[in-house]
Amino acid sequence: GRLVVRADAFPSARCCKFYGFLTWPCLFPPGAMPRVQHLEFWVSYWSIAIGEVDCGMNHLPSLEHVKVTLQRDRFTVNGVDEEVDIAKALLRRATEAHPKRPTIEIYST
């Protein structure tokens, strides 16, 4: 199955951590998690690097800190370091574009 989040989900949550499965910020529609200040998630570095995943976080208005673990795909190919660097740059750009400019920690496996 696939995780589906409604626009009115988690109205009081201030911290949201997703472990054990890949996710990304755009999974949450505008209106979901309006008070989340701290967001942790795992995402495929490849899906970010090829543009499959939108890293935008502007729809999370209270966001102050993001912790991301970039997960290797089972389809790892040559040039992994380049794709990881691209994914990191896109994630940093997303936090820089956010009105509150949240801090970000990025780890890779």
Side-chain angles (χ1 to χ4, degrees), residues 5-12 28-35 58-61:
V5 179
R6 295 185 348 206
D8 60 350
F10 313 112
S12 300
F28 312 106
M33 304 190 318
R35 295 185 179 156
N58 287 352
H59 60 287
L60 301 171

Side-chain angles (χ1 to χ4, degrees), residues 65-85:
H65 184 74
V66 181
K67 182 177 176 181
V68 181
T69 300
L70 293 173
Q71 182 76 33
R72 291 187 186 273
D73 289 331
R74 62 177 181 241
F75 305 111
T76 302
V77 295
N78 293 335
V80 168
D81 292 338
E82 182 179 341
E83 278 86 17
V84 170
D85 290 343

Side-chain angles (χ1 to χ4, degrees), residues 37-105:
Q37 297 170 336
H38 184 94
L39 177 64
E40 294 185 25
F41 62 96
W42 291 19
V43 66
S44 157
Y45 74 86
W46 181 252
S47 61
I48 292 175
I50 66 169
E52 183 178 286
V53 168
D54 176 6
C55 297
M57 301 177 203
N58 287 352
H59 60 287
L60 301 171
S62 300
L63 198 58
E64 294 177 1
H65 184 74
V66 181
K67 182 177 176 181
V68 181
T69 300
L70 293 173
Q71 182 76 33
R72 291 187 186 273
D73 289 331
R74 62 177 181 241
F75 305 111
T76 302
V77 295
N78 293 335
V80 168
D81 292 338
E82 182 179 341
E83 278 86 17
V84 170
D85 290 343
I86 290 169
K88 287 179 179 180
L90 290 170
L91 285 162
R92 285 190 183 100
R93 193 174 307 149
T95 58
E96 291 167 2
H98 191 281
K100 292 190 85 169
R101 296 190 57 120
T103 57
I104 188 165
E105 295 176 65

